[in-house]
Amino acid sequence: MGQTYDEIVKRIDEHLGKSGKRYYSEFYIGISNNARERLFEQHHVDMNNSWWIYDTAQSTEVARDVEKHYLELGMRGGTGGGKENSNMVYCYVVTPTTTE
């Protein structure tokens, strides 16, 4: 069973505090049905030396609501991504080596 909106936002917010970054615009937020593939293969996030997080939501709607919340705060990314079954939310610090 996936996490609620509040549980995911709380977890991401707590993890953001450990990032050493000050601005939401330094992060990318997205949804997927395979967050690990999106993070490490498509966005080229360094699994061992970069800040990242992902979580599974209760539903695609919850995942989209979490994504929208952080986009409105200024994170990079966009709505309309993912698939009908995209219930995973992922976030990472944008670096010169990542691909948005």
Side-chain angles (χ1 to χ4, degrees), residues 2 6 9-11 17-18 23 25 27 29 31 33-34 50 53-55 59-60 64 66 70 73 81-82 97:
D6 290 335
V9 168
K10 181 176 188 261
R11 189 162 176 255
K18 301 172 187 173
Y23 304 105
S25 61
F27 299 91
I29 188 84
I31 64 170
N33 62 345
N34 186 338
S50 189
I53 188 171
Y54 69 86
D55 213 337
S59 66
T60 300
R64 289 192 187 283
V66 172
Y70 286 107
L73 290 173
T97 59

Tab-separated table of all heavy atoms in Angstrom, residues 2 6 9-11 17-18 23 25 27 29 31 33-34 50 53-55 59-60 64 66 70 73 81-82 97:
chain	number	residue	atom	x	y	z
A	2	GLY	N	0.522	2.215	-0.778
A	2	GLY	CA	1.307	3.427	-0.898
A	2	GLY	C	1.043	4.428	0.209
A	2	GLY	O	0.198	4.233	1.083
A	6	ASP	N	-0.005	13.583	2.602
A	6	ASP	CA	0.671	14.187	3.751
A	6	ASP	C	1.944	13.436	4.130
A	6	ASP	O	2.949	14.056	4.492
A	6	ASP	CB	-0.270	14.258	4.964
A	6	ASP	CG	-1.382	15.283	4.776
A	6	ASP	OD1	-1.199	16.243	4.003
A	6	ASP	OD2	-2.435	15.127	5.417
A	9	VAL	N	4.671	14.297	1.421
A	9	VAL	CA	5.145	15.683	1.556
A	9	VAL	C	6.028	15.814	2.797
A	9	VAL	O	7.095	16.443	2.750
A	9	VAL	CB	3.959	16.672	1.592
A	9	VAL	CG1	4.411	18.060	2.030
A	9	VAL	CG2	3.286	16.734	0.221
A	10	LYS	N	5.617	15.217	3.903
A	10	LYS	CA	6.418	15.274	5.136
A	10	LYS	C	7.791	14.638	4.916
A	10	LYS	O	8.816	15.196	5.308
A	10	LYS	CB	5.681	14.561	6.271
A	10	LYS	CG	6.420	14.586	7.596
A	10	LYS	CD	5.581	13.938	8.694
A	10	LYS	CE	6.221	14.139	10.037
A	10	LYS	NZ	6.971	13.002	10.510
A	11	ARG	N	7.809	13.490	4.269
A	11	ARG	CA	9.073	12.782	4.033
A	11	ARG	C	9.993	13.584	3.105
A	11	ARG	O	11.191	13.704	3.358
A	11	ARG	CB	8.779	11.401	3.462
A	11	ARG	CG	9.991	10.532	3.386
A	11	ARG	CD	9.602	9.065	3.253
A	11	ARG	NE	10.831	8.300	3.082
A	11	ARG	CZ	11.225	7.785	1.919
A	11	ARG	NH1	10.502	7.908	0.849
A	11	ARG	NH2	12.363	7.121	1.848
A	17	GLY	N	15.528	19.209	3.887
A	17	GLY	CA	16.321	19.869	4.918
A	17	GLY	C	17.739	19.334	5.015
A	17	GLY	O	18.638	20.014	5.517
A	18	LYS	N	17.971	18.128	4.521
A	18	LYS	CA	19.294	17.514	4.561
A	18	LYS	C	20.086	17.744	3.275
A	18	LYS	O	21.212	17.269	3.156
A	18	LYS	CB	19.156	16.005	4.792
A	18	LYS	CG	18.444	15.643	6.070
A	18	LYS	CD	18.181	14.157	6.133
A	18	LYS	CE	17.316	13.808	7.334
A	18	LYS	NZ	16.934	12.391	7.302
A	23	TYR	N	16.904	26.713	-2.316
A	23	TYR	CA	15.807	27.105	-3.190
A	23	TYR	C	15.136	25.895	-3.838
A	23	TYR	O	15.813	24.964	-4.282
A	23	TYR	CB	16.319	28.050	-4.281
A	23	TYR	CG	16.997	29.258	-3.718
A	23	TYR	CD1	18.386	29.369	-3.741
A	23	TYR	CD2	16.269	30.282	-3.118
A	23	TYR	CE1	19.028	30.468	-3.212
A	23	TYR	CE2	16.897	31.385	-2.571
A	23	TYR	CZ	18.281	31.472	-2.625
A	23	TYR	OH	18.913	32.565	-2.076
A	25	SER	N	13.943	25.802	-6.648
A	25	SER	CA	14.345	25.744	-8.057
A	25	SER	C	15.605	24.906	-8.281
A	25	SER	O	15.953	24.614	-9.423
A	25	SER	CB	14.563	27.159	-8.603
A	25	SER	OG	15.600	27.807	-7.878
A	27	PHE	N	15.772	21.875	-7.367
A	27	PHE	CA	15.281	20.495	-7.374
A	27	PHE	C	14.379	20.235	-8.564
A	27	PHE	O	13.747	21.138	-9.097
A	27	PHE	CB	14.479	20.207	-6.096
A	27	PHE	CG	15.275	20.355	-4.843
A	27	PHE	CD1	15.333	21.564	-4.179
A	27	PHE	CD2	15.984	19.283	-4.333
A	27	PHE	CE1	16.082	21.722	-3.020
A	27	PHE	CE2	16.736	19.419	-3.168
A	27	PHE	CZ	16.783	20.640	-2.521
A	29	ILE	N	11.114	17.674	-9.607
A	29	ILE	CA	10.086	16.778	-9.080
A	29	ILE	C	9.376	16.113	-10.249
A	29	ILE	O	9.152	16.751	-11.275
A	29	ILE	CB	9.074	17.542	-8.178
A	29	ILE	CG1	8.109	16.598	-7.450
A	29	ILE	CG2	8.307	18.595	-8.951
A	29	ILE	CD1	8.628	16.019	-6.190
A	31	ILE	N	6.849	12.322	-11.544
A	31	ILE	CA	6.149	11.088	-11.198
A	31	ILE	C	6.463	10.043	-12.255
A	31	ILE	O	6.810	10.367	-13.393
A	31	ILE	CB	4.628	11.286	-11.061
A	31	ILE	CG1	4.005	11.705	-12.390
A	31	ILE	CG2	4.309	12.286	-9.962
A	31	ILE	CD1	2.491	11.673	-12.385
A	33	ASN	N	6.038	5.387	-13.055
A	33	ASN	CA	5.682	4.067	-12.556
A	33	ASN	C	6.945	3.267	-12.252
A	33	ASN	O	6.880	2.144	-11.780
A	33	ASN	CB	4.769	3.313	-13.526
A	33	ASN	CG	5.428	3.068	-14.863
A	33	ASN	OD1	6.447	3.675	-15.191
A	33	ASN	ND2	4.846	2.197	-15.659
A	34	ASN	N	8.117	3.881	-12.522
A	34	ASN	CA	9.409	3.262	-12.216
A	34	ASN	C	10.403	4.377	-11.867
A	34	ASN	O	11.168	4.831	-12.715
A	34	ASN	CB	9.909	2.432	-13.392
A	34	ASN	CG	11.164	1.647	-13.068
A	34	ASN	OD1	11.906	1.982	-12.142
A	34	ASN	ND2	11.422	0.609	-13.821
A	50	SER	N	24.684	11.780	-4.931
A	50	SER	CA	23.744	12.866	-5.178
A	50	SER	C	22.573	12.757	-4.214
A	50	SER	O	22.309	11.699	-3.641
A	50	SER	CB	23.248	12.791	-6.628
A	50	SER	OG	22.503	13.935	-6.940
A	53	ILE	N	15.323	11.282	-3.688
A	53	ILE	CA	14.331	10.577	-2.872
A	53	ILE	C	13.195	10.161	-3.793
A	53	ILE	O	12.915	10.823	-4.791
A	53	ILE	CB	13.807	11.480	-1.727
A	53	ILE	CG1	12.912	10.694	-0.758
A	53	ILE	CG2	13.119	12.721	-2.263
A	53	ILE	CD1	12.531	11.467	0.500
A	54	TYR	N	12.559	9.050	-3.446
A	54	TYR	CA	11.314	8.693	-4.119
A	54	TYR	C	10.426	7.936	-3.151
A	54	TYR	O	10.900	7.389	-2.163
A	54	TYR	CB	11.545	7.904	-5.408
A	54	TYR	CG	12.073	6.504	-5.246
A	54	TYR	CD1	11.212	5.424	-5.021
A	54	TYR	CD2	13.433	6.246	-5.341
A	54	TYR	CE1	11.707	4.132	-4.887
A	54	TYR	CE2	13.931	4.962	-5.216
A	54	TYR	CZ	13.053	3.911	-4.987
A	54	TYR	OH	13.546	2.632	-4.854
A	55	ASP	N	9.128	7.940	-3.456
A	55	ASP	CA	8.168	7.247	-2.610
A	55	ASP	C	6.996	6.808	-3.471
A	55	ASP	O	6.728	7.399	-4.516
A	55	ASP	CB	7.665	8.165	-1.498
A	55	ASP	CG	7.368	7.413	-0.213
A	55	ASP	OD1	7.116	6.194	-0.271
A	55	ASP	OD2	7.375	8.049	0.848
A	59	SER	N	-2.078	6.378	-4.966
A	59	SER	CA	-2.713	6.397	-6.274
A	59	SER	C	-1.977	7.377	-7.178
A	59	SER	O	-1.176	8.194	-6.718
A	59	SER	CB	-4.177	6.831	-6.154
A	59	SER	OG	-4.239	8.189	-5.722
A	60	THR	N	-2.282	7.305	-8.450
A	60	THR	CA	-1.732	8.270	-9.409
A	60	THR	C	-2.185	9.680	-9.053
A	60	THR	O	-1.414	10.634	-9.182
A	60	THR	CB	-2.173	7.905	-10.840
A	60	THR	OG1	-1.685	6.595	-11.136
A	60	THR	CG2	-1.628	8.882	-11.864
A	64	ARG	N	0.233	12.880	-8.471
A	64	ARG	CA	0.100	14.122	-9.241
A	64	ARG	C	-0.112	15.326	-8.328
A	64	ARG	O	0.404	16.410	-8.589
A	64	ARG	CB	-1.032	14.010	-10.253
A	64	ARG	CG	-0.706	13.074	-11.398
A	64	ARG	CD	-1.690	13.171	-12.546
A	64	ARG	NE	-1.452	12.147	-13.543
A	64	ARG	CZ	-0.479	12.168	-14.441
A	64	ARG	NH1	0.367	13.181	-14.466
A	64	ARG	NH2	-0.331	11.190	-15.315
A	66	VAL	N	1.027	15.650	-5.211
A	66	VAL	CA	2.322	15.947	-4.586
A	66	VAL	C	3.212	16.681	-5.586
A	66	VAL	O	3.835	17.702	-5.250
A	66	VAL	CB	3.007	14.663	-4.080
A	66	VAL	CG1	4.437	14.948	-3.624
A	66	VAL	CG2	2.206	14.026	-2.946
A	70	TYR	N	4.822	20.750	-5.247
A	70	TYR	CA	6.211	21.190	-5.325
A	70	TYR	C	6.481	22.038	-6.574
A	70	TYR	O	7.316	22.944	-6.530
A	70	TYR	CB	7.164	20.002	-5.230
A	70	TYR	CG	7.232	19.472	-3.825
A	70	TYR	CD1	6.623	18.272	-3.486
A	70	TYR	CD2	7.863	20.189	-2.815
A	70	TYR	CE1	6.665	17.791	-2.184
A	70	TYR	CE2	7.908	19.730	-1.514
A	70	TYR	CZ	7.303	18.532	-1.205
A	70	TYR	OH	7.337	18.076	0.091
A	73	LEU	N	5.646	25.458	-5.669
A	73	LEU	CA	6.656	26.071	-4.796
A	73	LEU	C	7.912	26.472	-5.567
A	73	LEU	O	8.771	27.158	-5.025
A	73	LEU	CB	7.037	25.101	-3.666
A	73	LEU	CG	5.952	24.852	-2.612
A	73	LEU	CD1	6.385	23.760	-1.650
A	73	LEU	CD2	5.619	26.137	-1.860
A	81	GLY	N	3.246	14.666	-17.114
A	81	GLY	CA	4.168	13.568	-17.346
A	81	GLY	C	3.635	12.277	-16.759
A	81	GLY	O	2.530	12.219	-16.229
A	82	GLY	N	4.409	11.255	-16.870
A	82	GLY	CA	4.017	9.975	-16.313
A	82	GLY	C	2.968	9.287	-17.165
A	82	GLY	O	2.619	9.745	-18.248
A	97	THR	N	25.423	17.361	-14.250
A	97	THR	CA	25.435	16.051	-14.881
A	97	THR	C	24.064	15.400	-14.990
A	97	THR	O	23.931	14.351	-15.604
A	97	THR	CB	26.376	15.091	-14.121
A	97	THR	OG1	25.923	14.973	-12.779
A	97	THR	CG2	27.811	15.596	-14.150
